[in-house]
Amino acid sequence: MQFSVIFEAQLADPTVEREHQVIRDSVEQAVLAEAMGFDRVWAVEHHSLKWYAHMSAPEIFLTWVAARTRTIRIGHGVVCMPFNFNHPARVAERAAMLDLLSGGRLDLGAGRGGTEQETSLCGVDRARTAQEVEEALRIIGKAWEKEELEHHGPLLDIAPHPILPRPQQLPHPPLFLACSRTETLAQAADLGIGALVMGFAGPGSIAAMREAYDAAVTARTGERLVSSVVNDHFSVLCPTIVLDDGEAARRVGIRGQRFFAQSIGHWYGGAGVPDEAVVEGSDEAAEMRRAAEQVVARLHEHDIPVRPTSTATFNADHAYGTADDAIAYVERLRDAGADEIMCLIQMGTVPQEACLETLRQWGEKVIPHFRERERGQAQAAGADA
């Protein structure tokens, strides 16, 4: 199993000074993540989503991180793939350059960037985003398979052109797709690319999503593969804050997640702006429940069906607490089928010192627990052979 850290540059009280600081803080966290034994950092592209995500140019952030590190993999995921955000040929060029300069450490993920706030900024047709993402993946998947890229698809027509430079990883860096529904899981499996899965609903939901992904992998015919290289990798989001004081970690983590959930509700569902106040001693679990109830009430008011996904981001049962609490939760995710644990630590109200301490706790206690178990299993397997 692999371990990674994911960044969106979330920001409460988003002044210019605080925005600049949170991006610098994210670099500091990414560099520490390598020292603590994490396998990968991910950075997610979003545009104009105040509070929720100030990571508008993750390729620049990741280039800076790559220059400051040596071994940790560089996850450019997700890239907003609709054409008005990023032409697929330009994505391929940038990906190849970053892969080359990082020494072959790049992973590349695709997403839709489908909020009205984002699509209206760049003139993206929201009705075509899913179609454009898949066609972009097909173009990127074959960009380096031959000396020149040539593509004649339903949406784009590209005459033969070389895509320069060539990446260090051949034929290209591993590909992923952001997945939040059964349909996108099936799409990722059918295309032969990894799944980046939102894990807010908990291990039970993750197990069902893994089952759907595996079923689609088993059923695929190969006709829709986007590359000659298949990547059946299942990465799962894991909100986490870990401190020696487990109760303090739960308060800090759940408060940060509530900010995150309310920010998502604002941009994806028209809810009010997120609550930015941090009140010492608050019962954050109760505040989270109240926030979820407000979302349900708003949906009822607008005659919008209330589905399990509507309140999943308000589920507070995650890797919050001591290192032992985190280990127990990760074991549940592992049993649910996770190949990779994507730690969501940098949430808008979480202070930098708690982010850094969480990374240290994972590096010193959580990750070694699983590495030692894997070594023991490997040695046992070797003895049996």
Side-chain angles (χ1 to χ4, degrees), residues 14 32 123 133 145 147 168 183 237 261 267 316 319:
L32 179 60
V133 167
E145 297 274 3
E147 287 299 313
Q168 181 161 323
E183 294 83 355
L237 193 71
W267 292 118

Side-chain angles (χ1 to χ4, degrees), residues 10-25 54 276 348-350:
Q10 298 176 32
L11 183 59
D13 185 21
T15 64
V16 171
E17 293 77 16
R18 285 180 52 76
E19 176 186 69
H20 292 180
Q21 188 59 50
V22 82
I23 291 171
R24 295 188 187 102
D25 287 349
H54 292 241
E276 299 176 290
T349 60
V350 178

Side-chain angles (χ1 to χ4, degrees), residues 9 42 70 145 165 190 209 284 294 298 312 315-316 328 331 343 345 348 361 368-369 371:
W42 290 100
R70 291 292 176 268
E145 297 274 3
D190 221 17
M209 296 177 82
E284 290 299 343
Q294 290 170 1
R298 182 185 58 79
N315 168 40
E331 286 178 339
C343 293
I345 300 169
Q361 293 269 350
H369 171 86
R371 295 285 188 255

Side-chain angles (χ1 to χ4, degrees), residues 35 45 56 71 83 107 124 132 190 221 260 295 327 331 370:
E45 178 183 347
S56 58
T71 60
F83 306 152
D107 297 282
V124 172
E132 291 186 8
D190 221 17
T221 63
F260 183 28
V295 168
I327 287 169
E331 286 178 339
F370 292 95

Side-chain angles (χ1 to χ4, degrees), residues 208-289:
M209 296 177 82
R210 180 70 203 227
E211 184 177 353
Y213 183 70
D214 288 345
V217 167
T218 300
R220 72 183 171 209
T221 63
E223 295 175 359
R224 294 182 64 203
L225 294 177
V226 298
S227 171
S228 60
V229 178
V230 172
N231 176 35
D232 294 334
H233 186 86
F234 194 79
S235 302
V236 174
L237 193 71
C238 176
T240 180
I241 296 293
V242 176
L243 307 171
D244 287 333
D245 184 338
E247 286 304 315
R250 277 184 278 276
R251 285 196 302 273
V252 171
I254 294 171
R255 179 64 190 94
Q257 186 186 330
R258 177 160 65 89
F259 175 87
F260 183 28
Q262 290 176 322
S263 299
I264 290 175
H266 176 64
W267 292 118
Y268 286 83
V273 299
D275 174 11
E276 299 176 290
V278 177
V279 180
E280 291 296 326
S282 289
D283 184 343
E284 290 299 343
E287 293 293 336
M288 184 76 96
R289 288 192 294 270

Side-chain angles (χ1 to χ4, degrees), residues 342-358:
M342 295 187 293
C343 293
L344 176 63
I345 300 169
Q346 194 280 307
M347 298 175 281
T349 60
V350 178
Q352 175 72 346
E353 56 268 25
C355 293
L356 297 174
E357 180 60 22
T358 297

